[in-house]
C-alpha cells in the first residue's frame, strides 16, 4: 500500500511585523486591547505592493524542498491553495513552478477553498500520491489578503495578514496522512465573501472582504469540532492519543473553543495567530512549520490539522508526521 508522508516543511512571512499599535498609528480606529482580547492577534505581516502570492509561495516552497532533502526537479505535482492569486490566470501554481525553474513538469494547479484551502490541497495531493500517479508533491498555502481588505472597515482589516506555508509530501511505505475529511455548504456564502469580480475591464460588485463576524464565529466552532472528530473516528483514534492540534489560525477564541470540544489541553495546540493574524490558506502550514522547526513536532507524532473558511468549506486531516 502506498502512503503519502510529509517529507519537509517551510514557511515565509513578508517584511517586518505590523503591530496593532502600528495600525492605530496608521489611522485605523482600533486599539491593541480590542484586537488582542477578541482575537488573540497582536501582529500581522503585509507584503509590499510588488509582491504576489507566488513570491511568498516561492520562498516557503524552497524552504520545504530543502527540508525534504530533495530538488525542485523531483517535484511532479504542485498544488497552491490561495484566494488571492497573482492573476486570474495562469494559476499561482503554474507561476510557482516557473519560479522554481521546473520545465515540462507534472500538473500544477490552484485550489480555492479560502481558509480551508491547505486542508483541501493536501487532501487532493494525498489522493494523487496514494493512487500511484505521482511520487512527490509540493502543497502550498499562499495569501496576500491585505489586497482584498477594506482598510476603512475596522471590523475586518485588523484580522488578516499575508504569508505562505508549504509542505513536500512523498510516496512512502509508512504513514503518512492517515485520514482526511472535506466538506462544503455554499448556502452560507453571504457571511464571509468577497462578492466581486472583474469583467469588461472593470470591477463588478464589491472587491473587498465582507464578514458577519458573529455568524462566522458560531459556524467555525461547530464545524471544526465536528470535522476533527470525524477524522479521528474514521481512523479509530482517540483525541487523547493525538500529540498536536493545528487549527486554522483565525482567532484564539475559536481555537480555544475547538480544543475544549475535543478535550485537548491548550499545551497540545499549536497557535501562531498572535504573530501573523489570519493568513487564510497559509495559516496551517505556517503553524506546522514553526512547530517542526522549534522541535515541538517530532517524527512519529500524531497531528490533527483542521480548517474552515468562506464557501463555507471545512476539513481536517489526521497525520502521522
Ligand atoms: N476596534 C475597535 N472596535 C471595533 C473594531 C476594532 N477593530 N471592530 C469592531 N469594533 C466595534 C464595533 O463597531 C462595535 O461597536 P458598537 O458596539 O459601538 O457598535 C463593537 O466593536 C462590537 O462589534 P462586533 O462586531 O459585535 O464585535 P464582536 O465581539 O463580534 O467581535 C470579531 C468581532 C472579533 C470579528 C468576532 O466576531 C470574531 O472573532 N468573529 C470570528 C470571525 C473570524 O475569525 N473571521 C476570520 C475569517 S473566517 C475564518 O477564517 C474561518
Amino acid at each position: 500500500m502506498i502512503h503519502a508522508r510529509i517529507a519537509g516543511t517551510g514557511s515565509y512571512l513578508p517584511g517586518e511585523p505590523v503591530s496593532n499599535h502600528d495600525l492605530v498609528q496608521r489611522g485605523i480606529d482600533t486599539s491593541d486591547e480590542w484586537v488582542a482580547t477578541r482575537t488573540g492577534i497582536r501582529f500581522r505581516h503585509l507584503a509590499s505592493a510588488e509582491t504576489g502570492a507566488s513570491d511568498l509561495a516561492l520562498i516557503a516552497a524552497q524552504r520545504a524542498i530543502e527540508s525534504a532533502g530533495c530538488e525542485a526537479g523531483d517535484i511532479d505535482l504542485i498544488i497552491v491553495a490561495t484566494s488571492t492569486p497573482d492573476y486570474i490566470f495562469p494559476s499561482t501554481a503554474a507561476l510557482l513552478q516557473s519560479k522554481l525553474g521546473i520545465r515540462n513538469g507534472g500538473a500544477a494547479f490552484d485550489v480555492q477553498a479560502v481558509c480551508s484551502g491547505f486542508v483541501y490541497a493536501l487532501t487532493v495531493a494525498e489522493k494523487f500520491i496514494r493512487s500511484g500517479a505521482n511520487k512527490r508533491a509540493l502543497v502550498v498555502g499562499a495569501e496576500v489578503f491585505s489586497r482584498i481588505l477594506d482598510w476603512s472597515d475596522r471590523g475586518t482589516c485588523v484580522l488578516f495578514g499575508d504569508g505562505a506555508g508549504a509542505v513536500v509530501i512523498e510516496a512512502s511505505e509508512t504513514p503518512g496522512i492517515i485520514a482526511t475529511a472535506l466538506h462544503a455548504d455554499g448556502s452560507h456564502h453571504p457571511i464571509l465573501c468577497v462578492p466581486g469580480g472583474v469583467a469588461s475591464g472593470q470591477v463588478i460588485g464589491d472587491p473587498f472582504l465582507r464578514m458577519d463576524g458573529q455568524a462566522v464565529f458560531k459556524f467555525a466552532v461547530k464545524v471544526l469540532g465536528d470535522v476533527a472528530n470525524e477524522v479521528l473516528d474514521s481512523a479509530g483514534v482517540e483525541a487523547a492519543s493525538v500529540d498536536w492540534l493545528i487549527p486554522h489560525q483565525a482567532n484564539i477564541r475559536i481555537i480555544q473553543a475547538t480544543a475544549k470540544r475535543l478535550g485537548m489541553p491548550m499545551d497540545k495546540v499549536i497557535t501562531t495567530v498572535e504573530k501573523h493574524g489570519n493568513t487564510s490558506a497559509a495559516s496551517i502550514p505556517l503553524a506546522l512549520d514553526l512547530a517542526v522547526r522549534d522541535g515541538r513536532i517530532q517524527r512519529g507524532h500524531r497531528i490533527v490539522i483542521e480548517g474552515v473558511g468562506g464557501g463555507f468549506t471545512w476539513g481536517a486531516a489526521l497525520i502521522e508526521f
Side-chain angles (χ1 to χ4, degrees), residues 93-136:
L95 297 174
L96 174 62
Q97 190 206 48
S98 165
K99 289 179 182 182
L100 284 167
I102 302 170
R103 301 285 177 267
N104 292 317
F109 58 92
D110 288 0
V111 161
Q112 213 273 41
V114 202
C115 304
S116 316
F118 182 77
V119 183
Y120 266 63
L122 189 72
T123 301
V124 173
E126 181 245 347
K127 308 292 179 221
F128 273 72
I129 298 234
R130 290 186 64 179
S131 76
N134 293 81
K135 292 263 178 297
R136 195 171 282 109

Side-chain angles (χ1 to χ4, degrees), residues 19 84 173 285 308 320:
S19 70
T84 48
E173 288 175 5
V308 57
E320 193 165 305

Side-chain angles (χ1 to χ4, degrees), residues 30 34 38 115 154-155 192 211 213-214 216 248 250-251 278 308:
T30 189
W34 194 97
R38 279 180 173 73
C115 304
R154 65 179 181 169
L192 180 59
M211 180 178 74
Q214 291 182 7
V216 168
H248 167 49
N251 180 312
N278 184 345
V308 57

Side-chain angles (χ1 to χ4, degrees), residues 69 113 133 210 216 230 252 260 304 306:
R210 303 299 174 198
V216 168
E230 183 184 343
I252 195 69
K260 194 171 168 194
V304 170
E306 56 172 1

Side-chain angles (χ1 to χ4, degrees), residues 170-191:
E170 62 186 20
S172 159
E173 288 175 5
T174 53
I177 297 165
I178 299 168
T180 59
L182 299 180
H183 294 281
D185 183 344
S187 69
H188 297 283
H189 73 270
I191 62 171

Side-chain angles (χ1 to χ4, degrees), residues 30 56 92 97 120 132 161 166 198 286:
T30 189
L56 306 184
T92 309
Q97 190 206 48
Y120 266 63
V198 175
L286 270 162

